[in-house]
Structure formats: structure tokens, C-alpha cells
Amino acid sequence: TKYYYRVNSRKHGLTAITNRPEHSFHTQRPAGSTFTFGVQGDSHPERSGLMFNADLYALNMRNAAAERPDFYVALGDDFSVERLLDNGTWSAATINQLYATQRNWFGLVGHSSPVFLVNGNHEQAARYLLDGTPDNVAVWAQNARNLYYAQPAPDDFYSGNGEPVEHIGLL
């Protein structure tokens, strides 16, 4: 089923309402029917000028959205936490900012298609990096991912790892 929606919001204490554009999404199609999906990887927005161009990336994401994919998969290296490690600026706040910034681009597709994320090696979120403490880069990276990109949890529809991870919850 195709659904249409529009988000209208008002900042606390103000009377003006912001009317956002109308978007749509499609629920699961019947078994055996045709569907479309998009795939990307290694966007590396932190590498501006070296291998990343914000205008081209936005164009790519708008082109992907124009195909109206039923879902979109990001294969990793879209949040390069290791750059923060390299220059000594890593913290929960700076990692959160990486994930928040990427939402601007993923939102160009994600307003009408679910975006599913895969961790790449540059996200520094691998389970082997967990050290049992909450102040850990892998915890911060996964918590930022969970904060800014709600992913499905295992249930009657979705499969997945149902084992909670200390200081994170479900991956």
C-alpha cells in the first residue's frame, strides 16, 4: 500500500507552523511482485576535497530517490569515526555529529524509503572494539547510529540479532 504523509511542526513557545513537503512510502509488496532497491557504500563525507563532493553526493541521493526504491542499503564507511581518532577529536559528541550530518543526505532518500545501515571498517563500531565500559568509541558509534537511524528490531516481521549488547542495547 502506498501512503502519503506530511510533517507539520511548531517550535515550543511559537505559534508559526512549519509545513514540510509531502512524501510517500510503500509498505511490503506481495510475495512474487517486482520491487526496487538502492545500494551505496563508502560515501566518506568527512573527506571533503579528497574523495567527497557534497554537491555530487546530494545529486546521487536525489537520483536514487527518484527511482523510488522500496528500500535503500548503505554498505558502510558512511560515518568515518577513524578520522576523529586520527586527529584526537573523538568523543560521544563528535561521533554524534558525524551521524547527524549524514542524515541530511540519507534524508534525501529516507523520507520515502527505509534506509538500512551496515557497519563498515571506518565506523569503529566492531564488536571486538568493545571493552566493557560505556566510554568507548564502539559504544559511542553504535549509540549514535541507534539515535539517528532507527533500525528494525527482531520481531514477527524482521529477523536479526536479538541479543542486547552492554551499554548499547540491540544492534
Side-chain angles (χ1 to χ4, degrees):
T1 304
K2 187 173 189 175
Y3 290 95
Y4 294 88
Y5 76 96
R6 176 188 309 259
V7 174
N8 300 317
S9 61
R10 177 174 51 90
K11 290 187 178 185
H12 181 73
L14 299 178
T15 57
I17 295 176
T18 300
N19 299 309
R20 305 205 185 225
E22 181 180 273
H23 296 292
S24 64
F25 65 92
H26 204 285
T27 57
Q28 180 183 14
R29 297 182 190 275
S33 65
T34 301
F35 66 94
T36 62
F37 63 94
V39 178
Q40 80 163 49
D42 291 285
S43 64
H44 289 289
E46 81 292 349
R47 296 182 184 184
S48 185
L50 297 173
M51 62 181 278
F52 180 81
N53 180 297
D55 294 332
L56 288 177
Y57 188 38
L59 176 63
N60 175 70
M61 298 306 276
R62 285 192 301 272
N63 287 341
E67 295 296 321
R68 303 193 186 287
D70 288 88
F71 60 92
Y72 195 80
V73 180
L75 295 176
D77 295 344
D78 297 300
F79 312 93
S80 290
V81 172
E82 74 178 12
R83 287 290 189 151
L84 300 174
L85 296 173
D86 290 346
N87 66 27
T89 62
W90 58 280
S91 67
T94 56
I95 291 170
N96 277 351
Q97 187 58 50
L98 285 176
Y99 282 81
T101 299
Q102 183 68 277
R103 272 182 64 146
N104 296 325
W105 290 295
F106 280 149
L108 296 171
V109 171
H111 61 67
S112 296
S113 302
V115 176
F116 298 104
L117 304 177
V118 176
N119 274 326
N121 60 310
H122 296 285
E123 273 85 6
Q124 299 299 309
R127 196 166 188 158
Y128 77 88
L129 294 171
L130 296 172
D131 64 6
T133 69
D135 294 323
N136 173 276
V137 67
V139 170
W140 296 335
Q142 188 62 48
N143 284 336
R145 177 182 297 262
N146 290 347
L147 176 66
Y148 292 106
Y149 303 90
Q151 296 293 298
D155 61 13
D156 293 339
F157 183 79
Y158 289 103
S159 63
N161 185 345
E163 179 188 344
V165 175
E166 187 178 23
H167 308 298
I168 294 171
L170 293 177
L171 299 176

